[in-house]
Amino acid sequence: MERPELPLPQLHAFVVLAEELHFGHAAARLGIAQPPLSQQIRRLEDKVGHPLFRRDPGGAALTPAGRELLPAARRALTDLADALAAARAVGSGEAGRLRIGFSASLALTVLPGLLDTFRQRSPAVRLDVREMTSAPQVAALLERTVDVGLLREPPADEPRLRFRTVLTEPFVAVLPAHHPLAGRRTVRLERLADEPFVLLPREEGPQLYDRITGLCAGAGFTPAIAQHAVEWQTVCALVGAGLGVSLAPESIRRIRLRGVAFRRIEPGTARTRVAVAWRADDPDPLVHRLLEAVGDGHPAWNG
Amino acid sequence: MERPELPLPQLHAFVVLAEELHFGHAAARLGIAQPPLSQQIRRLEDKVGHPLFRRDPGGAALTPAGRELLPAARRALTDLADALAAARAVGSGEAGRLRIGFSASLALTVLPGLLDTFRQRSPAVRLDVREMTSAPQVAALLERTVDVGLLREPPADEPRLRFRTVLTEPFVAVLPAHHPLAGRRTVRLERLADEPFVLLPREEGPQLYDRITGLCAGAGFTPAIAQHAVEWQTVCALVGAGLGVSLAPESIRRIRLRGVAFRRIEPGTARTRVAVAWRADDPDPLVHRLLEAVGDGHPAWNG
DNA sequence: GCGTTCCATATCTCCAGGGATATCAGACCG
DNA sequence: CGGTCTGATATCCCTGGAGATATGGAACGC
């Protein structure tokens, strides 16, 4: 690509003159006097090396060379004006694209409300929403394949990212419906000590995993993992099939499955955090718009 | 169309930097020092109102706004460069379009050679060739629907046009083959005094028409027009059918038709001119290129 | 013939933009 | 901790473009 030879202001004058075919009128439309316009055109013609207009009494007319130049000049001007407007819209966060990763368990709780308020405020923004567990979200944020994450139990040792808590919720025990413990309103944690557990694999979300095993440790036992499943949906299904019990954030109660019971646990103080995550240095205004939406549009969700 | 806000040099710098993603390298490619490049980019970002690049150690990266602007900037630059080259080609006569009107009687004589030499010299030029009689050619030249005309007997009273003689040729008598006069090598003009004539209508080419009737007048008679026809081809056919005789430029001998005889006339001094015509004020280089082709490429045509 | 219209020329002012050099500041690395 | 990347800042110069006003000159119409 070589350095541009034709200044845009001259091309602008050229296009307007080509439309008016009259130096006086064109100058008026450009908001300048007539002699400067003559100069602009002359300079442009000098650079092209050939006349672009025939001047005859009564007006001007394009030469073949001028006819050749006109469409490109017009296109370049409108293209640039459009692109500038688009770039400004993107820059100001009125338009663009935002890639959001989210944990599947949030698809039925915070996510819909969040997307809703955001879309209402920024209808021109395209949202790419992709389901992924916590650890991949962190990785995706760092390698910039995702702009915002919505995850559980944000890692504390990640200074390149920022987190903001969206909500906290208690844990519940997930039990087969026919299980003896399902007969009571609440379940004491230590009663699960001898039960086989069904959990997400630790790699998918180390923080949440450690949180859960930590709860068990607090109740004096180490859970025996009988089975892994990568989605809460599956965890519940396996519990319902009698493969074991589980501990889960309360919001997965939304997953209604035959043969599965959810019970509050005792002590009920332990809560799990759901947070939005973003790159600490990300200047993208869309990210900050989304954060506002998180702050304001408080989830119409209650347990 | 509003006045352009983004100077092309800055967009050029922007595109190069977007390709290099490195201020130093981009500056080198632009042939300038690094600080000026930083300034260019900053000025551009100021005008857009938003940053276009993230600067991080190890290089630069496009922001969403920058990504939005890039394709249009690139397109505008290449479009303009291409259009400039095209306009220069057209302006210098290396390319473009030339609209040529010609009298049908020349299609078999001067026209092919002329087009041939011109096309060899200017292969990138598109030629629009359209058949039309003399008077319409003059009109088309004046209203600029044709750039060059190739016609017989150029009018003398048309100062807005210029003419250059391509060739002159004698007249011949067109006779039915069985006509008594066809028995001799030559025909004295006054022998045609009592014959019915077939001619082109005067409106199609007043000069030639007047030339022919003038010849008759010189021989002491006024021809009786029995029939009009708008093409020489048709004139000959009508003569062959016995509707009359005619006087025509020698080159129409090329039209070989059964039952038609061509004979030189006496006196044989009268000749008809074929000329190229163009607008006196036409600056189009293609026109002048064609005139050169007329001058040089002397018709490989001999009666 | 004279005024009008339309564009060109001549001249001047002004300033934004592009360029250079020198220097600074942060991040990374051995 | 100093060297080496990165890009940013600070100054300065200078050109060229864009604007204005005043005037000239050709073509057309009444």
Side-chain angles (χ1 to χ4, degrees):
Chain A
M1 191 156 304
E2 320 77 30
R3 73 194 314 125
E5 301 184 55
L6 307 181
L8 279 188
Q10 289 173 18
L11 288 171
H12 182 212
F14 167 67
V15 169
V16 171
L17 179 56
E19 283 166 2
E20 298 287 338
L21 293 180
H22 186 290
F23 279 75
H25 300 169
R29 226 181 87 185
L30 289 166
I32 63 177
Q34 170 259 315
L37 175 59
S38 285
Q39 285 192 31
Q40 299 265 55
I41 299 300
R42 224 179 77 77
R43 272 196 282 268
L44 188 61
E45 288 176 326
D46 286 350
K47 280 178 185 147
V48 172
H50 306 280
L52 300 170
F53 291 95
R54 270 185 311 106
R55 282 84 161 162
D56 26 39
L62 279 169
T63 62
R67 253 190 302 280
E68 195 69 30
L69 190 58
L70 180 59
R74 183 178 275 135
R75 210 160 3 118
L77 289 171
T78 59
D79 270 16
L80 286 179
D82 292 353
L84 176 59
R88 281 180 175 151
V90 169
S92 67
E94 285 158 22
R97 193 170 64 115
L98 192 63
R99 298 162 304 174
I100 304 176
F102 71 99
S103 298
S105 64
L106 304 176
L108 295 175
T109 59
V110 289
L111 190 66
L114 177 61
L115 297 187
D116 231 45
T117 52
F118 184 83
R119 256 198 276 262
Q120 274 178 21
R121 297 186 188 182
S122 310
V125 175
R126 204 180 104 200
L127 293 177
D128 279 5
V129 181
R130 50 194 81 169
E131 188 270 321
M132 51 208 306
T133 50
S134 296
Q137 279 190 50
V138 170
L141 279 165
L142 291 178
E143 67 189 23
R144 297 181 177 278
T145 59
V146 132
D147 302 307
V148 173
L150 213 52
L151 44 77
R152 282 187 189 282
E153 297 299 319
D157 57 343
E158 191 43 85
R160 290 169 295 179
L161 300 184
R162 288 281 158 75
F163 301 93
R164 182 184 299 164
T165 302
V166 175
L167 63 82
T168 67
E169 53 180 335
F171 284 92
V172 294
V174 187
L175 306 167
H178 56 70
H179 195 281
L181 291 174
R184 330 195 38 161
R185 290 262 318 268
T186 67
V187 174
R188 292 206 61 83
L189 256 186
E190 48 269 38
R191 309 291 288 270
L192 298 175
D194 297 328
E195 302 287 340
F197 266 70
V198 182
L199 281 180
L200 300 190
R202 184 169 187 279
E203 313 86 73
E204 297 292 333
Q207 287 77 27
L208 180 59
Y209 186 96
D210 294 351
R211 194 75 214 290
I212 292 174
T213 57
L215 285 181
C216 296
F221 68 98
T222 302
I225 312 297
Q227 184 73 35
H228 283 306
V230 288
E231 294 188 14
W232 284 110
Q233 180 92 19
T234 317
V235 169
C236 293
L238 295 176
V239 168
L243 272 70
V245 303
S246 191
L247 280 172
E250 188 179 27
S251 61
I252 60 121
R253 277 194 140 146
R254 290 280 174 112
I255 303 171
R256 304 219 159 272
L257 259 182
R258 301 185 57 82
V260 180
F262 303 96
R263 295 292 177 267
R264 310 212 107 187
I265 59 171
E266 301 249 335
T269 51
R271 299 178 76 84
T272 170
R273 288 170 62 207
V274 172
V276 279
W278 69 97
R279 286 180 290 276
D281 65 347
D282 199 329
D284 190 337
L286 291 182
V287 170
H288 299 93
R289 286 211 164 196
L290 188 97
L291 293 179
E292 289 166 22
V294 168
D296 306 357
H298 250 312
W301 177 75
N302 346 279
Chain B
M1 189 156 305
E2 321 79 29
R3 73 195 310 129
E5 301 184 54
L6 308 180
L8 279 189
Q10 290 174 17
L11 287 171
H12 182 213
F14 166 68
V15 169
V16 171
L17 179 56
E19 283 166 2
E20 298 286 339
L21 293 179
H22 186 292
F23 278 75
H25 300 169
R29 225 181 89 186
L30 289 166
I32 63 175
Q34 170 259 317
L37 175 59
S38 284
Q39 284 192 31
Q40 300 264 55
I41 299 298
R42 222 179 81 75
R43 271 197 281 268
L44 187 61
E45 287 176 328
D46 285 349
K47 279 179 186 149
V48 172
H50 305 281
L52 300 170
F53 291 95
R54 270 185 311 108
R55 282 81 161 166
D56 26 38
L62 279 169
T63 62
R67 254 189 302 280
E68 195 68 31
L69 191 58
L70 180 59
R74 185 177 274 134
R75 211 162 359 120
L77 288 172
T78 57
D79 270 16
L80 288 179
D82 291 354
L84 176 59
R88 281 181 175 152
V90 169
S92 67
E94 285 157 20
R97 194 169 64 116
L98 192 62
R99 299 162 302 175
I100 304 175
F102 70 99
S103 299
S105 65
L106 305 175
L108 295 175
T109 59
V110 287
L111 189 65
L114 177 60
L115 296 187
D116 230 44
T117 53
F118 184 82
R119 255 198 275 263
Q120 274 178 21
R121 297 184 188 183
S122 309
V125 175
R126 207 181 103 201
L127 293 177
D128 280 4
V129 181
R130 50 194 80 170
E131 189 270 321
M132 51 210 303
T133 49
S134 296
Q137 279 190 50
V138 170
L141 280 165
L142 291 178
E143 68 188 25
R144 297 182 177 276
T145 58
V146 133
D147 302 306
V148 173
L150 214 51
L151 45 76
R152 279 188 193 282
E153 296 300 318
D157 56 344
E158 190 44 83
R160 290 168 295 177
L161 299 184
R162 289 282 158 74
F163 302 93
R164 182 183 301 164
T165 301
V166 175
L167 63 82
T168 67
E169 52 181 335
F171 285 92
V172 294
V174 188
L175 306 167
H178 56 72
H179 195 282
L181 290 173
R184 328 195 40 163
R185 288 265 316 270
T186 66
V187 175
R188 291 207 62 84
L189 256 185
E190 48 269 38
R191 310 291 289 272
L192 298 175
D194 297 328
E195 301 287 338
F197 265 71
V198 181
L199 280 182
L200 299 191
R202 184 169 187 278
E203 317 85 62
E204 298 292 333
Q207 287 76 27
L208 181 59
Y209 185 96
D210 293 350
R211 194 73 214 289
I212 292 174
T213 56
L215 285 179
C216 297
F221 69 97
T222 301
I225 312 297
Q227 183 73 37
H228 283 305
V230 288
E231 294 188 16
W232 284 111
Q233 181 92 20
T234 317
V235 169
C236 293
L238 295 177
V239 168
L243 271 71
V245 302
S246 190
L247 279 173
E250 188 178 27
S251 62
I252 60 124
R253 278 197 139 143
R254 288 281 174 114
I255 304 171
R256 303 219 157 273
L257 259 182
R258 300 185 58 81
V260 179
F262 303 96
R263 294 290 178 270
R264 311 211 107 187
I265 60 172
E266 302 249 336
T269 51
R271 300 177 76 82
T272 168
R273 286 170 63 208
V274 172
V276 279
W278 69 98
R279 286 180 290 277
D281 64 347
D282 199 329
D284 190 337
L286 291 183
V287 170
H288 299 94
R289 285 210 165 196
L290 188 98
L291 293 179
E292 290 166 21
V294 168
D296 307 356
H298 251 311
W301 176 75
N302 345 281

